[in-house]
């Protein structure tokens, strides 16, 4: 029998007043500070300054196709996202699987692992600029002590190594997050399926593949979704670590948009690029969510 | 005056949960809404409380139409199935809450809470929190909270169903005494027909949102209006023998079982016997029909053995095979 | 018996894995802390000393007294606390309404999803127009602009988290309060809020952390000392020609202290919050 799951059903118009009053401020804030800016942004992206004043044009969007920097920034962003996500996921999953049991010191472990992801991104940037400093940083210092030459290992200043460095920093910061979410997901899996698999004679690998992974799918998808969204829009750490350099080596799309808007003051073009980024993240999140819902239906 | 439901219906989407219910409850009565889960009894109670809106029809309390009156102004008290005690308040604060909300001053609150606590024998629990109490104790607190206010009526939604069997029987008796003492109109929802029979002055039997019969417990037992009511009330339930023109119903206690053949008795074979201690249940096969009879405690018979049955003629019921309506003419008590 | 031995070995193996993981997570932060406490000589020494050095508080003094980081700290604190309070009040009310009231046209679901989706925007997408809007409103370089923006930033999160907490509360209790004679607002204040207080506290701390750490909007909207927050202050100095690492580290170390305190207090809710309630850690 369908039962009313809500508490209050609106009786008459007077009864709608209270919920409306409760929701209105939130809606107002979001309308003015999330929706309106988007509309504003669309407007300026479709305008360009010409000698005869402001015209409506798709010029900002068509320019995207011929702008090499934009395309390179997109490539950088994808490379960054895929590489970081891959490492974080594999490391996080591996750690979660290995540490999934009642162990002493779990609270301590969790507290310590929280540190990297709770830090302000600028602090992460400072920490790793210190670590990666070619002359007095701890990384090169340790390498030297182990007898390895650090010639040319200028990390964030090296065109070849800069991207690797920023990816590594992201992995350092966010693997704990993947680990914690997947661990929580693993621990939510009840004992029974494992016991049934044991009785059925399943090997460790088979159990992992046929029991653990499917039951972990929701957590996996959530963590992948959240990380992908965050990786595609990355800005803070890279800004501090390399400012997109050396040259253009680590310029991601958010950095390029920032530079276009606040160094070159080309707001219209920046807005156009923002929309491409927004569309991209929307499409990807929709795909993820479809996956997530499909799994839940099962 | 009392409480009246006039053609009350409740729909959710396309489904009709309560269908054209009309009931008149007199002042001071103890009315039980009885039926299986999903029959609409809880929804009816909640509509009376104002926690659900009425799709059509009217509800009157003491002559006043209350459909549009918000819950907090209806002056009713409710005991929830889960007791709904406020976990963050002490027992004193829980019981005193209705008074506090009505702006009673501290002295009055203290006096009333103590009086009610004494009535329900929970004085020793007053400073504790709900999570420290047993199920039975919580139930008393829920009751105390309901009666501290002296409302127009008490609404109870299966208040005993979360208690173990022995406690349930004990609380049943105490509830009845309490209501008798206080004399307030009570509407009580349950699926347990024993509770209905023992507590109610009148029972409203419901099925799939419709009222089946509204009468005293004895009348419902002896003169059920249809097959559903006949089968639902009474334990073990009534036996039915299906026929083309008519369905015959006979209660287990109205079948006499004989080990020797008798004039006019029907032959039957014993399926199994259950020795209950104070009586014996005999499960029988008659042709394709299965019957249950109640026999004296010392009755014994082997499985598959032959026995002879006599039905008390004046206690037999007749139902229409298609509609289930009662065809019996019976003198009502 | 072999099985038991394998189990034990496995257990030890796990502990062994734990130690490097912990070190890996904490060592860089520790390194930065030491830089903030080392004299300049020690900082540039090779090989760099990890544990043995004479600590000095010069850099801290330099940062917060001489170079004005104290002001940035104050700005961060004011902006974080104010925006958290605003977001909590507005968001909790909305969350309550969305959980407990039935709205027509399936608005509950649509509104909730919409509120959540605003959280998914890349910050830069709204940063550019917000800069222009604030410029037009002459609110650039003010704390107010940040407070407003951070409130909007935190709002979806508050609504989403509090919805979960309200949904976990059985509705019996509010119904009992109503039948007992309380008004809806009274029931909310007297019965509901005390029971979701832990959730409220956790959400508040999350918002404080998010606001405190935020960088992009602060960078875009504040460029003068009057309103600059700590992260922007730190970043500004890093990208200058001469980098005073001691000062940088001191400022950064102070920046992370409140976070650590909060995070430790919040452990239980952290996973739930960061995964937007999808996983209950």
């Amino acid at each position: 029998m369908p039962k009313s799951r809500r508490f209050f059903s609106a009786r008459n118009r007077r009864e709608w007043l209270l919920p409306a009053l409760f929701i209105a401020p939130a809606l107002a804030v979001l309308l003015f500070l999330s929706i309106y800016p988007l509309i504003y942004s669309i407007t300026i992206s479709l305008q360009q300054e010409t000698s005869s004043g402001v015209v409506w044009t798709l010029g900002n969007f068509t320019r995207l196709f011929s702008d090499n920097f934009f395309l390179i920034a997109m490539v950088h962003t994808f490379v960054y996202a895929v590489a970081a996500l891959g490492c974080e996921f594999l490391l996080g999953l591996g750690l979660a699987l290995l540490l999934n049991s009642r162990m002493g010191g779990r609270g301590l472990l969790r507290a310590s692992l929280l540190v990297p992801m709770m830090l302000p991104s600028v602090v992460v940037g400072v920490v790793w600029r210190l670590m990666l400093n070619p002359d007095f940083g701890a990384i090169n210092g340790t390498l030297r002590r182990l007898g390895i030459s650090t010639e040319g290992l200028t990390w964030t200043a090296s065109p070849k190594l800069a991207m690797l460095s920023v990816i590594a920093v992201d992995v350092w910061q966010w693997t704990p997050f993947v680990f914690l979410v997947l661990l929580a997901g693993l621990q939510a899996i009840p004992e029974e399926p494992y016991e049934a698999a044991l009785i059925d004679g399943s090997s460790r690998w088979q159990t992992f593949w046929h029991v653990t992974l499917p039951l972990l799918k929701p957590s996996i998808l959530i963590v992948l979704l959240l990380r992908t969204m965050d990786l595609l829009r990355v800005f803070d750490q890279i800004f501090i670590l390399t400012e997109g350099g050396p040259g253009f080596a680590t310029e991601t799309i958010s950095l390029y948009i920032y530079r276009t808007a606040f160094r070159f003051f080309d707001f219209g073009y920046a807005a156009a690029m923002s929309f491409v980024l927004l569309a991209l993240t929307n499409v990807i999140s929709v795909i993820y969510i479809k996956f997530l819902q499909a799994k839940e239906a099962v | 005056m009392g409480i009246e439901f006039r053609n009350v219906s409740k729909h959710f989407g396309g489904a009709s949960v309560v269908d054209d219910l009309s009931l008149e409850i007199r002042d001071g009565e103890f009315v039980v809404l009885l039926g299986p889960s999903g029959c609409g009894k809880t929804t009816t109670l909640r509509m009376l409380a104002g926690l659900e809106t009425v799709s059509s029809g009217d509800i009157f309390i003491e002559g006043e139409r209350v459909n549009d009156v918000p819950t907090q102004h209806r002056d009713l008290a409710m005991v929830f199935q889960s007791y709904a005690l406020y976990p963050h308040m002490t027992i004193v604060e829980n019981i005193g809450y209705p008074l506090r909300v009505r702006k009673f001053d501290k002295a009055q609150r203290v006096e009333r809470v103590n009086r009610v606590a004494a009535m329900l024998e929970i004085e020793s629990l007053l400073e504790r929190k709900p999570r420290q109490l047993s199920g039975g104790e919580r139930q008393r607190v829920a009751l105390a909270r309901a009666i501290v206010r002296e409302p127009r009526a008490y609404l109870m939604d299966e208040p005993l169903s979360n208690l173990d069997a022995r406690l349930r029987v004990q609380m049943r008796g105490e509830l009845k005494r309490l209501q008798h003492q206080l004399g307030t109109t009570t509407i009580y929802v349950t699926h347990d027909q024993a509770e209905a029979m023992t507590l109610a002055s009148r029972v409203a039997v419901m099925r799939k949102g419709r009222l089946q019969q509204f009468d005293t417990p004895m009348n419902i037992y002896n003169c059920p209006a249809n097959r559903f009511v006949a089968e639902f009330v009474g334990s073990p339930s009534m036996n039915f023998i299906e026929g083309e023109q008519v369905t015959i119903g006979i209660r287990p206690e109205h079948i006499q079982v004989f080990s020797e053949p008798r004039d006019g008795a029907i032959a039957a074979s014993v399926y199994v016997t259950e020795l209950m201690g104070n009586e014996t249940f005999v499960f029988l096969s008659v042709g394709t029909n299965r019957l249950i009879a109640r026999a004296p405690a010392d009755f014994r018979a082997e499985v598959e053995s032959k026995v002879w049955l006599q039905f008390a003629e004046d206690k037999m019921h007749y139902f229409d095979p298609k509609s289930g309506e009662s065809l019996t003419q019976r003198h009502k008590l | 018996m072999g099985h038991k031995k394998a189990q034990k070995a496995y257990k030890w193996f796990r502990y062994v894995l734990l130690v490097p993981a912990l070190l890996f997570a904490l060592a860089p932060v520790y390194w930065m802390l030491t830089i903030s406490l080392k004299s300049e000589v020690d900082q540039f020494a090779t090989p760099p000393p990890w544990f043995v050095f004479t600590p000095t508080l010069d850099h801290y003094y330099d940062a917060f007294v001489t170079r004005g980081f104290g002001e940035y700290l104050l700005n961060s604190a004011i902006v974080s606390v104010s925006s958290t309070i605003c977001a909590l009040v507005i968001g909790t009310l909305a969350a309550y309404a969305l959980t407990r009231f039935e709205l027509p046209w399936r608005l509950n679901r649509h509104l909730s999803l919409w509120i959540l989706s605003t959280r998914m925007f890349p910050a830069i997408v709204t940063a550019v127009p917000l800069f222009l809007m604030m410029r037009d409103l002459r609110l650039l370089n003010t704390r107010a602009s940040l407070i407003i923006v951070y409130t909007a930033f935190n709002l979806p999160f508050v609504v989403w988290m509090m919805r979960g907490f309200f949904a976990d509360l059985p509705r019996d209790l509010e119904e009992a309060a109503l039948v007992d004679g309380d008004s809806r607002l009274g029931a909310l204040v007297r019965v509901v809020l005390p029971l979701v207080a832990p959730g409220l506290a956790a959400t508040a701390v999350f918002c404080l952390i998010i606001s405190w750490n935020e960088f992009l909007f602060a960078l875009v909207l504040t460029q003068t000392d009057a309103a600059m927050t700590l992260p922007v202050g730190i970043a500004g100095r890093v990208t200058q020609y001469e980098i005073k690492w001691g000062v940088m580290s001191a400022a950064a170390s102070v920046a992370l202290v409140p976070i650590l305190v909060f995070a430790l207090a919040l452990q239980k809710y952290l996973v739930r919050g960061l995964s937007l309630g999808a996983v209950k850690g």
Side-chain angles (χ1 to χ4, degrees):
Chain A
M1 173 181 76
K3 265 190 129 86
S4 170
R5 296 196 318 120
R6 304 291 176 189
F7 178 18
F8 304 104
S9 286
R11 223 179 295 256
N12 48 42
R13 212 174 304 142
R14 196 163 37 103
E15 298 273 323
W16 288 9
L17 195 61
L18 201 61
L21 228 58
F22 277 13
I23 300 183
L27 284 187
V29 167
L30 289 177
L31 227 57
F32 285 129
L33 292 163
S34 287
I35 301 302
Y36 179 68
L38 280 186
I39 301 176
Y40 195 107
S41 202
I42 296 187
T43 328
I44 56 173
S45 73
L46 291 170
Q47 293 175 338
Q48 271 179 339
E49 287 262 347
T50 63
S51 42
S52 44
V54 171
V55 297
W56 290 87
T57 164
L58 284 175
N60 285 323
F61 287 96
T62 52
R63 186 172 150 195
L64 288 173
F65 294 105
S66 52
D67 184 359
N68 277 335
F69 288 122
F70 174 70
L71 296 169
I72 296 178
M74 289 288 262
V75 169
H76 284 164
T77 311
F78 271 108
V79 168
Y80 181 85
V82 170
L85 189 62
C87 293
E88 286 164 18
F89 181 68
L90 288 172
L91 280 174
L93 184 61
L95 274 175
L97 287 170
L98 281 168
L99 295 172
N100 177 25
S101 71
R102 279 171 217 304
M103 287 174 49
R106 245 218 326 229
L108 176 67
L109 173 70
R110 188 163 58 176
S112 320
L113 287 181
L114 285 183
V115 171
M117 55 185 185
M118 289 281 101
L119 296 177
S121 45
V122 290
V123 172
V124 172
V126 171
V127 164
W128 281 94
R129 275 192 80 144
L130 287 174
M131 295 282 287
L132 292 173
N133 187 296
D135 302 315
F136 64 86
I139 298 285
N140 277 8
T142 316
L143 285 177
R144 274 183 231 125
R145 215 187 279 208
L146 291 175
I148 304 173
S149 157
T150 60
E151 194 65 49
L153 286 181
T154 48
W155 304 114
T156 55
S158 148
K160 291 207 204 93
L161 294 173
M163 184 54 103
L164 184 70
S165 311
V166 293
I167 292 176
V169 171
D170 197 285
V171 171
W172 174 82
Q173 194 181 8
W174 290 104
T175 303
F177 173 66
V178 177
F179 165 69
L180 285 174
V181 173
L182 290 180
L183 187 68
L186 273 178
Q187 297 187 326
I189 301 179
E191 278 297 310
E192 283 89 45
Y194 288 118
E195 290 168 353
L198 260 176
I199 294 179
D200 284 345
S202 150
S203 75
R204 287 197 84 128
W205 174 253
Q206 285 171 323
T207 313
F208 172 72
W209 191 253
H210 294 291
V211 177
T212 314
L213 265 192
L215 288 174
L216 201 53
K217 274 228 162 66
S219 304
I220 293 181
L221 282 170
I222 275 286
V223 91
L224 287 181
L225 170 65
L226 291 174
R227 286 310 304 145
T228 309
M229 294 294 109
D230 278 346
L231 285 166
L232 286 176
R233 56 187 172 189
V234 69
F235 178 86
D236 301 5
Q237 309 91 291
I238 303 190
F239 188 83
I240 303 291
L241 280 169
T242 62
E243 260 196 290
F248 210 72
T250 55
E251 187 97 341
T252 59
I253 198 72
S254 287
L255 276 163
Y256 187 52
I257 296 176
Y258 175 81
R259 200 187 300 283
T260 309
F262 298 105
R263 300 272 198 261
F264 303 130
F265 298 106
D266 192 348
F267 292 106
Y269 189 45
M273 283 195 282
S274 306
F275 273 100
V276 174
L277 181 60
L278 184 62
L280 193 67
T281 50
N282 270 355
V283 166
I284 294 184
S285 63
V286 164
I287 295 178
Y288 267 116
I289 291 176
K290 280 272 182 299
F291 255 103
L292 198 65
Q293 286 181 338
K295 293 306 163 189
E296 282 190 4
V298 172
Chain B
M1 280 281 130
I3 296 172
E4 189 189 345
F5 290 81
R6 221 182 270 174
N7 303 106
V8 170
S9 296
K10 175 75 181 170
H11 314 293
F12 283 116
S16 186
V17 170
V18 176
D19 196 359
D20 198 33
L21 176 74
S22 290
L23 268 181
E24 266 188 63
I25 300 170
R26 297 180 214 122
D27 200 27
E29 262 199 297
F30 194 128
V31 167
V32 172
L33 302 181
L34 174 70
S37 41
C39 71
K41 54 193 193 295
T42 301
T43 309
T44 305
L45 196 74
R46 288 169 63 87
M47 281 196 282
L48 180 57
L51 297 171
E52 303 279 358
T53 53
V54 177
S55 299
S56 68
D58 301 306
I59 303 181
F60 296 86
I61 302 180
E62 292 180 355
E64 174 201 351
R65 182 176 177 273
V66 296
N67 290 40
D68 298 320
V69 175
T71 308
Q72 52 264 42
H73 297 140
R74 294 197 187 190
D75 197 23
L76 302 165
M78 188 152 166
V79 179
F80 291 79
Q81 190 173 2
S82 67
Y83 314 138
L85 300 182
Y86 307 122
H88 58 296
M89 299 186 198
T90 61
I91 300 305
V92 176
E93 290 166 348
N94 259 281
I95 302 177
Y97 185 81
L99 302 176
R100 181 170 147 212
V101 153
R102 280 181 177 68
K103 317 264 196 269
F104 278 57
D105 66 55
K106 189 122 197 252
Q108 276 183 301
R109 287 208 314 258
V110 167
E111 189 259 318
R112 283 223 196 179
V113 170
N114 284 330
R115 185 170 14 118
V116 159
M119 209 188 296
L120 286 164
E121 294 171 17
I122 49 173
E123 299 110 307
S124 57
L125 305 173
L126 285 177
E127 289 307 316
R128 301 208 199 148
K129 290 253 176 83
R131 63 169 174 271
Q132 296 169 294
L133 268 51
S134 71
E137 290 167 342
R138 286 186 208 169
Q139 213 257 358
R140 286 173 197 255
V141 174
L143 268 175
R145 188 172 69 185
I147 68 185
V148 78
R149 255 172 53 200
E150 294 160 18
R152 290 198 278 197
Y154 301 130
L155 309 180
M156 303 197 185
D157 187 3
E158 309 208 41
L160 304 181
S161 61
N162 288 340
L163 302 174
D164 65 65
R166 189 179 304 179
L167 205 49
R168 209 181 301 164
V169 174
Q170 185 193 340
M171 283 309 297
R172 228 162 59 192
E174 299 211 15
L175 257 180
K176 188 157 186 173
R177 264 198 65 132
L178 197 61
Q179 198 269 347
H180 186 79
Q181 248 180 303
L182 297 168
T184 313
T185 314
T186 305
I187 297 124
Y188 185 106
V189 162
T190 183
H191 60 273
D192 183 337
Q193 53 97 38
E195 274 175 30
M197 295 294 285
T198 53
L199 290 171
S201 53
R202 279 200 288 174
V203 178
V205 182
M206 291 179 71
R207 181 192 189 209
K208 296 194 184 161
R210 287 174 169 266
L211 180 65
Q212 304 294 306
Q213 189 173 0
F214 184 37
D215 211 334
T216 64
M218 284 322 290
N219 281 341
I220 293 216
Y221 191 81
N222 291 324
C223 315
N226 57 40
R227 183 186 165 142
F228 173 77
V229 175
E231 191 166 8
F232 197 77
V233 176
S235 177
S237 54
M238 187 186 280
N239 298 296
F240 293 99
I241 302 168
E242 314 283 346
E244 291 263 323
Q245 306 284 346
V246 75
T247 297
I248 297 176
I250 183 101
R251 292 206 184 271
E253 63 264 26
H254 298 143
I255 302 177
Q256 266 194 306
V257 189
F258 298 103
S259 318
E260 304 295 317
R262 282 249 182 146
D263 261 349
I266 304 167
S269 145
V270 173
Y271 186 75
V272 76
T273 58
E274 279 179 4
L275 305 174
M276 303 303 288
N278 60 332
E279 59 186 344
T280 299
F281 289 162
V282 188
F283 291 75
L284 305 152
S285 309
V286 180
T288 51
N289 292 296
R290 287 276 168 79
L291 306 175
I292 305 178
R294 290 167 108 150
D298 55 1
F299 181 86
R300 298 285 182 276
E302 290 285 318
V303 174
E304 300 294 323
S305 63
K306 254 205 151 87
V307 290
W308 283 263
L309 312 176
Q310 215 161 35
F311 297 175
E313 294 242 352
D314 57 336
K315 302 285 195 198
M316 281 169 64
H317 300 259
Y318 305 94
F319 301 99
D320 183 306
K322 283 193 265 321
S323 72
E325 285 298 306
S326 172
L327 305 169
T328 327
Q329 298 299 346
R330 185 86 53 146
H331 175 64
K332 284 203 177 176
L333 293 153
Chain C
M1 272 309 124
H3 183 59
K4 271 240 170 101
K5 264 209 183 144
Q7 284 249 12
K8 235 190 168 187
Y10 194 47
K11 226 182 181 187
W12 278 109
F13 173 61
R14 277 201 277 248
Y15 278 109
V16 164
L17 207 67
L18 214 63
V19 173
L22 278 178
L23 279 184
F24 189 60
L26 296 175
V29 181
Y30 172 76
W31 180 253
M32 184 187 74
L33 283 170
T34 63
I35 294 277
S36 75
L37 292 169
K38 282 181 191 166
S39 64
E40 304 237 325
V41 176
D42 282 333
Q43 282 178 12
F44 293 102
T46 51
W50 277 88
F51 297 103
V52 185
F53 60 90
T54 21
T56 162
L57 286 175
D58 283 350
H59 302 302
Y60 284 91
Y61 185 80
D62 204 1
F64 287 94
V65 180
T66 327
R67 292 176 192 268
F69 273 92
E71 180 141 19
Y72 303 153
L73 187 62
L74 186 66
N75 288 339
S76 273
I78 293 177
V79 167
S80 300
V81 172
S82 310
S83 64
T84 297
I85 295 176
C86 290
L88 270 182
V89 171
I90 298 178
T92 304
L93 283 177
Y96 182 71
L98 284 173
T99 321
R100 292 293 194 238
F101 291 94
E102 181 170 352
L103 299 172
W105 310 306
R106 303 188 65 194
L107 260 183
N108 290 80
R109 186 171 162 75
H110 290 140
L111 279 178
S112 307
L113 281 178
W114 176 59
I115 291 178
L116 186 66
S117 71
T118 58
R119 185 91 174 82
M120 295 283 186
F121 289 178
I124 193 76
V125 171
T126 43
V128 173
L130 277 174
F131 170 79
L132 295 170
M133 283 164 66
M134 291 297 171
R135 188 181 65 177
D136 294 340
L137 291 170
R138 299 189 196 285
L139 280 176
L140 279 185
N141 294 315
T142 62
R143 287 194 283 247
S145 66
L146 280 183
I147 295 176
I148 295 172
V149 170
Y150 285 179
T151 303
F153 201 61
N154 281 323
L155 200 56
F157 182 75
V158 172
V159 171
W160 198 254
M161 285 289 279
M162 290 314 296
R163 252 182 52 125
F165 288 116
F166 283 132
D168 281 348
L169 206 62
R171 64 178 187 169
D172 276 20
L173 298 173
E174 292 155 73
E175 290 181 347
L178 273 200
V179 176
D180 281 346
D182 212 346
S183 64
R184 286 200 191 136
L185 207 55
L188 176 60
V189 169
R190 274 187 271 255
V191 176
V192 179
L193 282 183
L195 290 171
V196 293
L200 211 54
T203 309
V205 175
F206 261 114
C207 289
L208 282 171
I209 294 179
I210 295 175
S211 306
W212 182 269
N213 289 355
E214 207 282 327
F215 179 62
L216 180 56
F217 282 110
L219 180 69
V220 164
L221 295 174
T222 62
Q223 277 114 30
T224 63
D225 283 5
M228 235 193 261
T229 58
L230 202 50
V232 181
I234 296 175
R237 303 311 171 90
V238 168
T239 55
Q240 269 175 8
Y241 179 67
E242 184 213 341
I243 300 176
K244 293 235 137 210
W245 291 112
V247 170
M248 286 321 359
S249 309
S253 302
V254 170
L256 64 85
V257 163
I259 303 305
L260 288 182
V261 169
F262 286 142
L264 284 172
L266 250 205
Q267 281 189 63
K268 216 181 6 152
Y269 293 103
L270 221 42
V271 177
R272 179 173 178 172
L274 288 173
S275 62
L276 298 179
V279 178
K280 300 204 180 178

